[in-house]
Amino acid sequence: MQNGEVVACATSSVDSSKSVTACQGSSTIVSTVSSIAAAASSSAAAAVPTANCDFFDEGLFWHFEVYNINGWAGADGSSLKTQEKGCGGLTGWGWRVDDSRYQHASFNLPFTIKQGCVERAIKSAGGPGGLACKGHGLKKRSVQGRASIIKEHLRAKRYGRPLSEHRFTHQYLEEKAILATSPNITGRSLVPRAHTDAWNRYAPKGIQYYNEWRDRSTTQEDKAALCNFDETYSFSQDPLAVTGPYEPIKPYINGGKGQTYTNFRWHWPKGPTNTATAIFWNNVSPVDNVIIAFSNDRGGDEEEGEDRSPDNWSDMLWWLWLRATAEAGDKSALGQIFRYNVDNDASKEILAEILGDKQDEVVTLEPDDAQSQDNGFWALLGCPNGTGMIHLVGDHKKALNGKGINSISCIYNSREDQYYMWGNLA
């Protein structure tokens, strides 16, 4: 009886050991054996772990991409990361949510890992068994080549259209829809303006770092350059034609000249490559007066107390700049600092908000006297891909004759499906 009314009940048996009772009132339907079985089957199917795995020869290590993860890898991929560490010196860990259903992990492992270790680690973390990571050689080392492989899996699995149309997170798209109907909108600016979490977090830092640079006197002694680089890192250098891997940004380098660069690679700790925890790859040209940061990974997770290289990126890049300009060139002539293939999630979130739907179009932002946090210049300067630039010029203001980051330019390259940003010095 419910609320004074008699309610009829029926019992449906799914198997010999279980039964389900359903009651029928004015708005309740008796469950049938077939519907119960269908629900159980649907629930079991949803619990089946899924993943794809590809790995790439990066010259110094294997780079792995595990994606189409449907929730089995733990908070922020912690379970997967723990298991993969058992395969060797894991570096370059990255984790992101591709959409509301799937996650994506990326990491590096040394060439000396045992065959099948990564797949076994995936299974141990709760992922699918029997998975075989697909390997790709040097010809697929480029970001474009790597992305083309992963895009096909993603497109076939859930998108049905090119991945470039989905480069915004769902959170950002929802915020963008809200902004589009906001009565506070005037053109592309909002008064007040709503921003992504990354923007709100890093814009104040950008203002802080800029003011520290501005308030530093050009007569104040600069931060001392690294004096033990060769003892701390295994280091190599060789010529590099900028027309090769840097073709997407060549038009923006010093008016499109694109001179020959010197390619610097180093890893930490000093010793064999397969023992490296941190790996760095950067290029400089005292002819174009440009630094290009290609790939920089300081190593383990600092919050977890893992080993990381002892020096900041800005300190190491200044050491390289001094080395490059020692025989020819003027160290104060540095004109641009490029961050190539921005892959930090917070930085990309800010770039997505600044660029909106713009593709293959450069947007340049300058500091404003009011230091409004609505100005994307501050968010980019304070983000993980911008702090190294402002620290480099701030720590060496005297040597650079007072130069600072006068503007920041950025672009989304649709062909490469990548963001690029660079600081312009003046």
Side-chain angles (χ1 to χ4, degrees), residues 319-360:
W319 182 88
L320 289 183
W321 181 246
L322 293 180
R323 184 186 182 104
T325 57
E327 297 181 2
D330 176 7
K331 62 179 178 291
S332 68
L334 181 61
Q336 292 175 302
I337 303 174
F338 279 80
R339 300 308 303 257
Y340 190 80
N341 289 348
V342 175
D343 61 0
N344 178 272
D345 288 340
S347 299
K348 290 194 293 186
E349 187 174 303
I350 294 169
L351 287 164
E353 182 174 350
I354 289 171
L355 293 170
D357 294 328
K358 291 183 177 180
Q359 298 187 11
D360 308 309

Side-chain angles (χ1 to χ4, degrees), residues 111-266:
F111 287 137
T112 54
I113 59 172
K114 293 183 179 179
Q115 184 176 357
C117 184
V118 170
E119 291 90 336
R120 290 191 293 272
I122 289 173
K123 182 179 180 180
S124 298
L131 182 66
C133 294
K134 185 176 181 181
H136 308 278
L138 292 172
K139 67 179 182 179
K140 290 295 185 182
R141 283 175 59 191
S142 71
V143 173
Q144 181 185 12
R146 183 186 303 166
S148 66
I149 295 166
I150 296 173
K151 280 181 188 178
E152 292 304 317
H153 290 288
L154 294 173
R155 186 183 299 117
K157 191 170 184 69
R158 61 186 181 276
Y159 286 142
R161 56 189 186 274
L163 185 63
S164 59
E165 298 178 20
H166 300 267
R167 59 193 176 88
F168 302 114
T169 64
H170 280 264
Q171 177 186 2
Y172 175 71
L173 289 173
E174 290 171 2
E175 292 174 352
K176 184 179 177 183
I178 294 172
L179 299 182
T181 58
S182 170
N184 295 323
I185 288 183
T186 56
R188 290 180 58 84
S189 64
L190 301 174
V191 188
R193 185 172 179 179
H195 298 290
T196 60
D197 291 341
W199 185 302
N200 292 329
R201 177 182 179 183
Y202 290 110
K205 293 181 180 291
I207 294 173
Q208 174 192 338
Y209 299 148
Y210 183 88
N211 289 339
E212 290 173 355
W213 164 82
R214 182 196 60 193
D215 296 341
R216 186 183 182 102
S217 170
T218 54
T219 61
Q220 182 178 342
E221 291 301 317
D222 290 339
K223 182 177 182 179
L226 297 178
C227 58
N228 59 343
F229 192 95
D230 291 312
E231 291 75 27
T232 306
Y233 301 91
S234 292
F235 177 80
S236 67
Q237 69 179 73
D238 52 78
L240 175 73
V242 76
T243 54
Y246 298 128
E247 190 68 27
I249 61 173
K250 182 181 176 182
Y252 318 113
I253 298 176
N254 193 20
K257 292 181 181 179
Q259 305 293 329
T260 298
Y261 280 52
T262 300
N263 178 35
F264 293 99
R265 298 192 192 196
W266 64 98

Side-chain angles (χ1 to χ4, degrees), residues 379-396:
L380 287 179
L381 193 67
C383 78
N385 287 92
T387 54
M389 297 190 295
I390 186 62
H391 286 319
L392 187 149
V393 299
D395 291 339
H396 307 286

